[in-house]
Amino acid sequence: MSARASTPLRVAVDHDGNVYIADTGHQRVVKVAPDGMQTTVIDQGITSPTAIAPAPDGSLFVNDPYNNRVIKVPPHGDSSRPCRSTDWPIPRDWPFAGTAA
C-alpha cells in the first residue's frame, strides 16, 4: 500500500480480483485493483471497520461495530455518504463472510 496500514483486520476479494483491506487503525477501507492501483473506498463516518464483504452487485458491505451498523457502499457511489441500514435489504443469497466475533 502507498500508505502503511495500521491494524489491517480483514481482507476480501471481489469477483473482479479487487482486494479490499479493512485498515482498522486508520478507520478506512482500501481497494487494491489487480493492476496495483489503490483507492480509499470509505474513510469518513466509520470507526474501526472490522469486516468487509463485496456483494454480487458490486456493492461493498462494511461492518462498523462501534457505531452499531453495517454500511453498504454502492458500486461507483459516493462513499462519503454511506447508506443507512434502513435504506437497503440484506440479500438472502449473500453471506456476510468474515464477520468479526
Side-chain angles (χ1 to χ4, degrees):
M1 295 177 58
S2 57
R4 291 193 86 135
S6 175
T7 319
L9 196 56
R10 295 281 188 261
V11 174
V13 180
D14 70 12
H15 65 280
D16 292 327
N18 296 302
V19 176
Y20 296 89
I21 302 167
D23 186 358
T24 304
H26 286 132
Q27 301 178 345
R28 66 182 180 170
V29 174
V30 176
K31 172 180 142 182
V32 182
D35 65 2
M37 179 67 103
Q38 300 171 28
T39 317
T40 298
V41 175
I42 185 169
D43 65 355
Q44 297 178 13
I46 189 166
T47 305
S48 301
T50 59
I52 49 179
D57 71 353
S59 298
L60 183 69
F61 290 87
V62 181
N63 185 26
D64 186 13
Y66 293 101
N67 289 315
N68 298 315
R69 64 185 178 167
V70 173
I71 298 168
K72 179 183 180 185
V73 180
H76 310 295
D78 181 0
S79 62
S80 67
R81 295 184 359 214
C83 299
R84 295 171 297 153
S85 60
T86 56
D87 291 341
W88 49 270
I90 295 175
R92 294 182 185 267
D93 63 341
W94 177 77
F96 195 84
T99 303

